[in-house]
Amino acid sequence: MSVPRRRFPGARRARVVVGSALPIDVAERLPACDVVAPASGVMAQHALDAAVADADAVICLLQHRIDDAFLARAPHLGVVANNAVGHDNVDVPAASARGVLVANTPEVLTDATADLAFALLLATARRLGEGEALLRQGRWHGFDPAELLGAELSGRRLGLVGFGRIGRAVAARARGFGLRILYAAPHPAPAAVEAELGATRVELPALLASSDFVSLHCALTPATRGLIDAAALARMRPHAILINTARGAVVDEAALAAALHAGQLGGAGLDVFVDEPRVTPALLTAPRTTLLPHIGSATVAARTRMAELCVAAVAGWLEDRRPTNLVNPELWPPAT
Ligand code: GLV
């Protein structure tokens, strides 16, 4: 049964809880609100749980768990603005059932994340981490024609798992490097997009079996959790490189580490992990592996625009204007 969306009653200052310091001054942008935010860093879950009790709006991060128990603590809460495009940390049906809007930050981080996926691909293919460590540790003895040989991109196949905004932005970059592009996605992209990007849709097993590089760009959902498991990794070519800038839990990390240690895979470039900030220890020692601390969207421009989108969603709800980036639009369908 659908419930109406909660509305801000007015006649008092709204209380906005922000789960981290942001690159913009939220209090300055919401002068009619009492803003609770840490001066620096990120609020722990228990602090956010406590702060939400009398909140009207929350701006949270992807590591904050916004489940039904959290929502039950917040009888006045009308909007959750998740400062991320992925929203697997939010129980959206539970929010909808309580009339709470959920917003995310699409589009503004597409280029930053696609750039980082490509940086990981190049860094892993050309063994940049190993080369830098060699030099910094004083182990470089001069040019050696047999040292640190990596893989070339031109003429090889890149398989994109997920072909939404970020997957397509990676494809656009890949074209410039002479890569041939396959993608696997639940629905075909429009023919014009496929033609522009030179991308061909195939089933996932075929993509895994024929790609030299596989890059993940799907949301974490029940269907994609553990999608790249031991069986999927076994389908990949022995020299293939796996790139993950989506969500850690799309990959079975233990199986990936085992495949890398066994030399069953050419390498991996990972920006996301199942249980951040913990990294499966066997990945830390795996060969040909580039590991980054979840910085896909970490550019000044992207992080500023993400924060601005969150503030806009909160301001919109408070002023009874429909936020554009709703994840549960059923609570507030667009005007026709
Ligand atoms: C980052 O991982 C995001 O989903 O925005």
Side-chain angles (χ1 to χ4, degrees), residues 62 82-88 105 109 113 166 245-247 271-272 294 296-297 303 306:
L62 53 87
N82 199 41
N83 192 22
V85 65
H87 47 80
D88 48 279
T105 64
L109 46 62
T113 309
I166 298 173
T245 53
R247 282 291 180 271
D271 184 45
V272 289
H294 204 148
S297 64
R303 290 281 169 88
M306 290 164 72

Side-chain angles (χ1 to χ4, degrees), residues 190-333:
V193 171
E194 288 189 347
E196 185 194 331
L197 296 173
T200 305
R201 181 169 177 248
V202 293
E203 295 301 321
L204 181 63
L207 180 144
L208 295 172
S210 54
S211 296
D212 303 294
F213 309 100
V214 173
S215 190
L216 306 179
H217 301 289
C218 51
L220 177 62
T221 65
T224 62
R225 185 175 289 277
L227 184 71
I228 307 300
D229 59 6
L233 292 164
R235 286 206 172 89
M236 290 175 65
R237 308 177 82 179
H239 63 268
I241 288 174
L242 177 71
I243 303 298
N244 190 6
T245 53
R247 282 291 180 271
V250 176
V251 176
D252 177 338
E253 279 178 0
L256 174 60
L260 288 163
H261 280 284
Q264 181 198 320
L265 211 61
L270 309 175
D271 184 45
V272 289
F273 303 90
V274 173
D275 186 23
E276 297 174 4
R278 185 187 162 274
V279 177
T280 293
L283 281 177
L284 294 169
T285 54
R288 304 281 177 105
T289 302
T290 312
L291 305 175
L292 296 177
H294 204 148
I295 54 169
S297 64
T299 65
V300 174
R303 290 281 169 88
T304 301
R305 288 192 225 118
M306 290 164 72
E308 286 170 347
L309 268 184
C310 289
V311 170
V314 170
W317 174 72
L318 288 170
E319 292 158 16
D320 209 32
R321 277 184 288 107
R322 183 181 185 276
T324 50
N325 44 326
L326 284 184
V327 170
N328 50 357
E330 68 277 10
L331 279 186
W332 199 339

Side-chain angles (χ1 to χ4, degrees), residues 18 22 28-29 33 38 41 53 66 78 81 110 150 152 165 183 185 226 234 248 251 270 276 279 288 303 329 335-336:
V18 188
L22 291 175
E28 191 178 279
R29 304 220 182 189
C33 302
I66 311 296
T110 298
E152 274 180 33
R165 293 184 194 91
Y183 73 96
V251 176
L270 309 175
E276 297 174 4
V279 177
R288 304 281 177 105
R303 290 281 169 88
T336 46

Side-chain angles (χ1 to χ4, degrees), residues 165-176:
R165 293 184 194 91
I166 298 173
R168 292 176 197 186
V170 171
R173 284 153 179 75
R175 289 211 82 181

Side-chain angles (χ1 to χ4, degrees), residues 46-84:
H46 65 83
L48 191 69
D49 289 350
V52 80
D54 54 358
D56 298 292
V58 166
I59 297 176
C60 61
L61 302 185
L62 53 87
Q63 64 266 52
H64 290 132
R65 205 176 49 261
I66 311 296
D67 56 13
D68 195 51
F70 178 93
L71 297 165
R73 279 190 202 99
H76 309 294
L77 188 64
V79 60
V80 173
N82 199 41
N83 192 22

